[in-house]
């Protein structure tokens, strides 16, 4: 038994499934997860001393790589002054100003502790603001695990093939409408029936939780127009894409202005943070300025705020996003060429520094097409890569991430490993 296997066995005695978030348990790919004890730059090392080039990146936050020195220093400095106050602290203002400066659609922002809280709170606000109850989400998009959002959800819900979740009362999801991603006609149909009750349309502007799936040309603009006409709010879930596609997120890249935005991951520099923000008149409805209640003991936590500030400052250096995109494009090209040599049919979706390699032919533009991928083949490939020291997300329906710490040598080593793994 390896040390990781021992830890996993122990974990399963005291933690459900041995993990604190389902996708980490390797259910989709089989086997037993390495327990990680160390991360630096583009690499992680497990409890048995095996080192991996890491494309999980903690599921998105680590755009600067592991243990980025400025972030580590900021957390150290903050911790010396106390780890939580439950009272306002200057770092909250510092991070809020950085977010507002980077994303013009966000005039005011409220920090919470996770992406789940961000999406849940943004939708409560949308309902409180509009006085309407229904929300529209898209199949394969994942907005955290709040009750009303576990409908046709991506990420671990897709991986485990769970249609929704026991424990979610039917009444809680009765107001959650769904439509296929990238299909404006389906949205028009939903709106023609439910438009007057529709509080919000929530979307991942680039989906990251059915694997990486890009918006078709005109799709986000179309959602914006439909939401306007229906008098509903457009909510972008940029928990993954915020500060990943650029300082302005997907909304800057695709030039579409949402009413509300959910953030998380990168804005916490690897510490637990979420946020929601948007137009000042809407955010003005949040308590204590307005009546829509939302609160949290660790919201605006000084360590997380300090880490977030350090991370966002590091991302302002010129050329960073260009470098990330170029490296990711080179990796995607190398993987595609390696698949072709081995006769493996793959589709690689990538934008900026996120990508997914689907084992299927033809474009993957929605959840139906993503689900048609050969997940058994993915599992084989995943383990082939892991054995060769490359850590990909352990499920087909997830995005992988390149960080600033990845090098050309990492990319070359990854492509070499893929050449062998495709041939197995
Ligand atoms: N929901 C996350 C993936 N999209 C998983 C988070 C985790 O397990 O850390």
């Amino acid at each position: 038994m390896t040390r990781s296997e021992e830890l996993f066995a122990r974990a399963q005695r005291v933690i459900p499934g041995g993990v604190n978030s389902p996708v980490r348990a390797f259910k989709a790919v089989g086997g037993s997860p390495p327990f990680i004890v160390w991360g630096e730059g583009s690499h992680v090392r497990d409890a048995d001393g095996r080192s991996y080039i890491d494309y999980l990146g903690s599921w998105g936050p680590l755009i600067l790589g592991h243990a980025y020195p400025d972030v580590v220093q900021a957390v150290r400095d903050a911790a010396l002054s106390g780890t939580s106050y439950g009272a306002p602290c200057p770092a909250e203002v510092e991070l809020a100003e950085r977010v507002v400066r980077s994303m013009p659609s966000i005039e005011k922002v409220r920090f919470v502790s996770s992406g789940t809280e961000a999406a849940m709170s943004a939708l409560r606000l949308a309902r409180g603001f509009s006085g309407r109850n229904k929300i529209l989400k898209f199949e394969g998009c994942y907005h955290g695990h709040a009750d009303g959002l576990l409908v046709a959800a991506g990420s671990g819900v897709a991986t485990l093939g769970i249609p929704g979740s026991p424990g979610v009362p039917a009444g809680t999801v009765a107001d959650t409408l769904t439509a296929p991603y990238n299909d404006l006609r389906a949205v028009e149909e939903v709106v023609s029936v439910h438009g007057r009750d529709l509080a919000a349309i929530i979307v991942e502007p680039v989906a990251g939780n059915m694997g990486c799936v890009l918006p078709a040309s005109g799709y986000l603009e179309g959602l914006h127009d439909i939401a306007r006409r229906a008098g509903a709010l457009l909510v972008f879930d940029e928990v993954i894409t915020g500060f990943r596609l650029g300082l302005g997120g997907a909304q800057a890249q695709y030039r579409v202005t949402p009413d509300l935005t959910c953030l998380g991951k990168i804005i916490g520099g690897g510490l637990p943070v979420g946020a929601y923000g948007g137009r000042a008149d809407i955010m003005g409805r949040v308590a204590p300025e307005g009546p829509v209640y939302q609160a949290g003991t660790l919201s605006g936590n000084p360590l997380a705020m300090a880490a977030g500030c350090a991370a966002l400052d590091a991302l302002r250096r010129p050329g960073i996003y260009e470098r990330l995109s170029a490296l990711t494009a080179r990796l995607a090209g190398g993987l595609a060429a390696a698949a072709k040599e081995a006769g493996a049919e793959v589709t690689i979706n990538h934008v900026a520094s996120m990508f997914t390699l689907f084992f299927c032919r033809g474009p993957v533009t929605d959840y139906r097409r993503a689900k048609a991928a050969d997940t058994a083949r993915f599992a084989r490939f995943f383990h082939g890569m892991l054995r060769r020291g490359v850590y990909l997300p352990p499920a087909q329906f997830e995005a992988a991430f390149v960080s600033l710490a990845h090098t050309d040598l990492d990319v070359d080593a990854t492509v070499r490993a893929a050449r062998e793994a495709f041939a197995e």
Side-chain angles (χ1 to χ4, degrees):
M1 229 190 195
T2 64
R3 183 90 188 102
S4 282
E5 285 166 348
E6 267 171 41
L7 284 162
F8 195 39
R10 260 175 68 195
Q12 286 174 86
R13 287 198 281 276
V14 286
I15 302 172
V19 288
N20 285 305
S21 188
V23 283
R24 301 179 193 176
F26 277 31
K27 287 268 187 220
V29 291
S32 172
F35 274 57
I36 304 301
V37 297
W38 177 88
E40 188 180 355
S42 58
H43 282 67
V44 288
R45 192 170 66 223
D46 69 16
D48 296 285
R50 294 202 50 180
S51 169
Y52 307 88
I53 304 173
D54 179 30
Y55 293 103
L56 188 65
S58 186
W59 302 93
L62 300 185
I63 193 167
L64 299 164
H66 290 269
Y68 187 77
D70 290 358
V71 173
V72 172
Q73 191 59 49
V75 173
R76 274 201 177 122
D77 291 348
L80 289 173
S81 307
T83 53
S84 180
Y85 309 128
C89 69
E92 294 170 279
V93 190
E94 297 280 339
L95 188 58
E97 286 172 351
R98 282 164 173 77
V99 169
V100 167
R101 172 151 49 109
S102 300
M103 296 189 137
S105 77
I106 300 185
E107 293 172 334
K108 285 190 174 180
V109 62
R110 167 60 66 81
F111 292 112
V112 290
S113 296
S114 69
T116 290
E117 267 186 85
M120 185 182 86
S121 311
L123 291 177
R124 180 182 301 148
L125 175 59
R127 286 172 163 141
F129 179 79
S130 64
R132 299 170 173 193
N133 283 334
K134 295 205 183 294
I135 56 136
L136 172 63
K137 77 174 283 290
F138 297 96
E139 293 164 11
C141 283
Y142 178 76
H143 307 287
H145 61 89
D147 281 358
L149 289 164
L150 284 182
V151 181
S155 190
V157 184
T159 298
L160 299 176
I162 298 172
S165 174
V168 175
T172 316
V173 291
D175 286 325
T176 306
L177 308 165
T178 61
Y181 193 75
N182 269 335
D183 182 347
L184 286 175
R185 199 170 318 156
V187 179
E188 295 277 17
E189 275 168 27
V190 170
V191 167
S192 70
V193 179
H194 299 286
R196 262 182 296 186
D197 298 328
L198 195 65
I201 298 178
I202 183 166
V203 67
E204 290 182 84
V206 172
N209 288 291
M210 51 179 133
C212 173
V213 174
L214 277 61
S217 161
Y219 177 62
L220 298 173
E221 292 91 321
L223 290 183
H224 184 269
D225 291 349
I226 295 171
R228 272 291 159 282
R229 273 187 274 124
L233 299 184
L234 181 62
V235 182
F236 272 10
D237 182 341
E238 295 228 43
V239 168
I240 289 179
T241 52
F243 295 90
R244 168 74 54 187
L245 265 60
L247 292 173
Q251 50 197 269
Q253 167 126 347
Y254 295 101
R255 296 173 201 278
V256 176
T257 305
D259 300 297
L260 291 174
T261 299
C262 306
L263 294 169
K265 302 206 190 259
I266 290 175
I267 61 159
L271 271 76
V273 173
Y276 63 104
R279 273 171 33 205
D281 60 322
I282 305 174
M283 292 304 290
R285 306 290 291 169
V286 177
E289 211 171 306
V292 178
Y293 197 72
Q294 175 270 309
T297 298
L298 291 172
S299 295
N301 171 266
L303 269 58
M305 298 294 106
C309 286
L312 298 198
D313 288 350
L315 289 171
R316 295 199 84 85
R317 290 200 313 266
I320 279 184
Y321 286 101
E322 290 76 2
R323 182 185 135 61
L324 280 166
S325 294
L327 199 60
T328 308
R330 197 165 92 73
L331 175 60
L335 292 172
K340 197 164 173 202
E341 266 170 44
E345 276 185 347
V346 302
T347 296
I348 302 176
N349 284 354
H350 67 96
V351 60
S353 51
M354 57 193 279
F355 70 96
T356 297
L357 186 153
F358 292 97
F359 280 88
C360 65
R361 193 175 354 157
V364 179
T365 52
D366 59 21
Y367 191 37
R368 186 177 59 79
R369 290 179 177 86
K371 275 198 302 190
D374 183 343
T375 50
R377 185 73 189 83
F378 175 84
R380 254 193 1 257
F381 178 72
F382 168 84
H383 277 293
M385 294 298 274
L386 195 67
R387 274 197 304 280
R388 290 172 177 83
V390 178
Y391 199 139
L392 295 168
Q396 176 70 95
F397 309 120
E398 300 286 356
F401 300 101
V402 174
S403 77
L404 274 168
H406 286 92
T407 62
D408 283 314
L409 289 178
D410 288 332
V411 166
D412 293 342
T414 304
V415 172
R416 267 198 311 278
R419 231 178 254 131
E420 294 175 13
F422 279 131
E424 283 178 345

